Amino acid sequence: MARAGSLKWQLLLTTLGVIGAGSLLIGAVLLAHARHEIDELFDAQLAQMARTLLVQGQQGGDDDADHPAPAHRHEYERKIGFALFDHDGRLLRSSSSEPAFSHLPDDCEGFHSRKLRGQRLRTFCASDGDSGHIIVAWQNHAIRNELAGKIVGTIFLPVLLGIPLLAALVWWSIGRVLQPLTGLSQQIGQRSARDLAPIDPASVPDEIEPIISKLNQLLGRIASALEQERRFTADAAHELRTPLAALQIQIEVAQGQPDPQASRITLNKALVAVRRATSLVEQLLQLARLDEVSGIALQPVALDELATALLADHADMAAHKQIELALEGSAPQPVLGQCDLLQIMLRNLLTNAIQYTPPGGQVTLQLAPGRIEVIDNGPGIDTGERQRLLQRFARGSEVSNSGHGLGLSIVTRIAELHQARFELADAPTGHGLRATVEFPHA
């Protein structure tokens, strides 16, 4: 994406461009209007001159040939002239200006625009009924064009000369208008990396306030994410400290054991600590990945196939504790979701149910259209603790099993990504726990 460049320069060039275009448009309109008024005035003068000359010709004025041309003539005199003809079309008298009419033009009555010897002329013809004389007064169009140009030029010359001053004033005005943005930039630039306090929108223009509002929302989300990350890091460090410390102790004890049998027992305990640390790290990585996800691509997922595969994966774990796994109901219609995330969610629910159900118990995976439930007959969770246990690293007060307190947090996050409802309740028998995930779209 190309860089936008300086806003100040863009405003200056845009403003001058609009002023220039507007000036040209006004000039064109003014030129057309001036030309129209000039034509009206000169046509009237041309008609008046023709009638005056016609009267003089009728009175038998002196021929122009008897009067030499004046030494000092106005520049426009050479572009104005007349020609007087008798009723037979013979030239009686004409001005000394060029071009001159040597014969009577065709259609000689009233105003006409003609072309003579490469020049465009405006002519007016009038005739005298008594004497039969015909007068042709003419004027070169160049006079009118020149006069109209001078009028418009006189008006626009100060504007053209004032453009540099206008540009300087516009530049200064834009700088004054954009001063709040400069102050805002300095205010943001002076902040430290930890200062995520909202920006005060009172000192910015109304047009910038929506940007500041969105920026403040972003700063709030960043602050919340950093605080959550800080708590997550602190809790993870605390949780990892226990298995790592146990691992270190067990290894040190194994190193000091002279008896191979005792050393093997100690190393087995160290292996348990390694597995616990590995399990914790895997869940931490899952949570970290889920926190980075803001949206997922939804695809049809068959809950029947997913549940069957997960029960098969947990068969050995349940058999080790002599727990009966059962699948009830069906979900013939697929739900919209992300298959890998749904596997993680149901795996956590089944693992928790098997871990906290005493030996000889039962864990049931119950399916219904758009809904899946994991039901056990274990100790259950008190109503007052259920909401707290959805938080990270939270464990029940009466639980003696070695969990990390992350399983339900992972389930909650995946349910949020699927816009699904996750709920903990008592088992239908009144003894145990029922975890329900209900999807919004089937």
Side-chain angles (χ1 to χ4, degrees), residues 143-211:
I143 297 178
R144 305 184 180 203
N145 295 335
E146 184 179 348
L147 184 58
K150 286 183 177 180
I151 292 175
V152 175
T154 303
I155 295 175
F156 276 89
L157 182 60
V159 176
L160 295 177
L161 295 178
I163 284 180
L165 177 60
L166 180 63
L169 291 175
V170 170
W171 180 267
W172 178 81
S173 301
I174 292 174
R176 293 277 297 177
V177 172
L178 296 180
Q179 186 62 37
L181 292 182
T182 304
L184 179 63
S185 174
Q186 295 175 352
Q187 177 186 350
I188 296 176
Q190 293 171 356
R191 287 191 171 203
S192 65
R194 296 180 177 274
D195 187 3
L196 297 176
I199 299 173
D200 184 13
S203 59
V204 299
D206 294 340
E207 292 78 7
I208 308 299
E209 188 173 354
I211 300 178

Side-chain angles (χ1 to χ4, degrees), residues 228-229 232 286-294 392 413:
Q228 183 178 359
E229 189 74 18
F232 180 78
Q286 286 179 352
L287 271 178
R289 289 193 210 91
L290 291 174
D291 285 338
E292 294 177 356
V293 176
S294 58
R392 299 175 181 183
R413 177 58 181 157

Side-chain angles (χ1 to χ4, degrees), residues 223-256:
S224 176
L226 289 178
E227 178 62 22
Q228 183 178 359
E229 189 74 18
R230 186 191 64 79
R231 290 198 304 266
F232 180 78
T233 303
D235 292 340
H238 174 74
E239 292 294 327
L240 282 171
R241 188 179 297 116
T242 301
L244 292 178
L247 176 61
Q248 180 180 358
I249 292 173
Q250 296 298 336
I251 293 176
E252 290 175 352
V253 171
Q255 287 177 339

Side-chain angles (χ1 to χ4, degrees), residues 275-351:
R275 289 172 178 167
R276 175 175 170 78
T278 302
S279 174
L280 177 58
V281 169
E282 288 177 352
Q283 289 190 320
L284 289 174
L285 290 175
Q286 286 179 352
L287 271 178
R289 289 193 210 91
L290 291 174
D291 285 338
E292 294 177 356
V293 176
S294 58
I296 57 175
L298 300 179
Q299 296 178 344
V301 178
L303 291 181
D304 290 306
E305 298 177 3
L306 184 64
T308 302
L310 286 172
L311 286 179
D313 291 341
H314 287 77
D316 292 340
M317 182 181 180
H320 182 71
K321 291 186 65 175
Q322 299 179 352
I323 292 177
E324 179 185 354
L325 288 180
L327 176 62
E328 296 181 358
S330 64
Q333 192 173 13
V335 297
L336 295 179
Q338 217 277 347
C339 186
D340 293 338
L341 294 181
L342 293 180
Q343 285 181 348
I344 294 173
M345 180 177 66
L346 293 179
R347 185 180 297 116
N348 277 278
L349 290 177
L350 283 173
T351 301

Side-chain angles (χ1 to χ4, degrees), residues 68-89:
H72 302 287
R73 302 176 65 189
H74 194 277
E75 58 176 330
Y76 285 169
E77 285 189 59
R78 288 185 294 271
K79 301 177 182 180
I80 302 174
F82 70 93
L84 181 64
F85 299 89
D86 61 13
H87 63 279
D88 293 327

Side-chain angles (χ1 to χ4, degrees), residues 19-273:
I19 292 176
S23 300
L24 291 176
L25 179 61
I26 293 174
V29 173
L30 183 60
L31 179 62
H33 181 71
R35 179 59 192 269
H36 174 73
E37 295 299 324
I38 289 173
D39 285 343
E40 293 289 331
L41 175 62
F42 280 0
D43 281 352
Q45 291 179 345
L46 198 62
Q48 184 181 21
M49 181 182 72
R51 293 190 176 97
T52 301
L53 291 174
L54 190 62
V55 172
Q56 290 180 352
Q58 182 180 1
Q59 294 174 352
D62 295 336
D63 192 284
D64 287 344
D66 300 335
H67 301 281
H72 302 287
R73 302 176 65 189
H74 194 277
E75 58 176 330
Y76 285 169
E77 285 189 59
R78 288 185 294 271
K79 301 177 182 180
I80 302 174
F82 70 93
L84 181 64
F85 299 89
D86 61 13
H87 63 279
D88 293 327
R90 291 190 299 269
L91 179 64
L92 300 178
R93 184 184 305 172
S94 67
S95 63
S96 59
S97 304
E98 293 293 340
F101 286 91
S102 58
H103 57 84
L104 187 65
D106 297 332
D107 191 20
C108 187
E109 187 65 35
F111 290 99
H112 290 279
S113 292
R114 306 176 187 274
K115 196 167 186 179
L116 180 65
R117 298 175 187 173
Q119 300 186 40
R120 293 183 64 249
L121 305 178
R122 181 69 169 172
T123 64
F124 178 77
C125 298
S127 60
D128 181 69
D130 296 334
S131 62
H133 291 174
I134 302 173
I135 186 74
V136 179
W138 59 267
Q139 186 180 60
N140 200 317
H141 269 289
I143 297 178
R144 305 184 180 203
N145 295 335
E146 184 179 348
L147 184 58
K150 286 183 177 180
I151 292 175
V152 175
T154 303
I155 295 175
F156 276 89
L157 182 60
V159 176
L160 295 177
L161 295 178
I163 284 180
L165 177 60
L166 180 63
L169 291 175
V170 170
W171 180 267
W172 178 81
S173 301
I174 292 174
R176 293 277 297 177
V177 172
L178 296 180
Q179 186 62 37
L181 292 182
T182 304
L184 179 63
S185 174
Q186 295 175 352
Q187 177 186 350
I188 296 176
Q190 293 171 356
R191 287 191 171 203
S192 65
R194 296 180 177 274
D195 187 3
L196 297 176
I199 299 173
D200 184 13
S203 59
V204 299
D206 294 340
E207 292 78 7
I208 308 299
E209 188 173 354
I211 300 178
I212 299 301
S213 176
K214 296 299 182 182
L215 182 58
N216 285 337
Q217 293 178 14
L218 177 61
L219 290 175
R221 291 195 297 269
I222 293 175
S224 176
L226 289 178
E227 178 62 22
Q228 183 178 359
E229 189 74 18
R230 186 191 64 79
R231 290 198 304 266
F232 180 78
T233 303
D235 292 340
H238 174 74
E239 292 294 327
L240 282 171
R241 188 179 297 116
T242 301
L244 292 178
L247 176 61
Q248 180 180 358
I249 292 173
Q250 296 298 336
I251 293 176
E252 290 175 352
V253 171
Q255 287 177 339
Q257 288 282 357
D259 184 7
Q261 183 66 24
S263 177
R264 188 178 299 108
I265 295 174
T266 304
L267 289 176
N268 287 335
K269 294 180 180 180
L271 183 59
V272 172

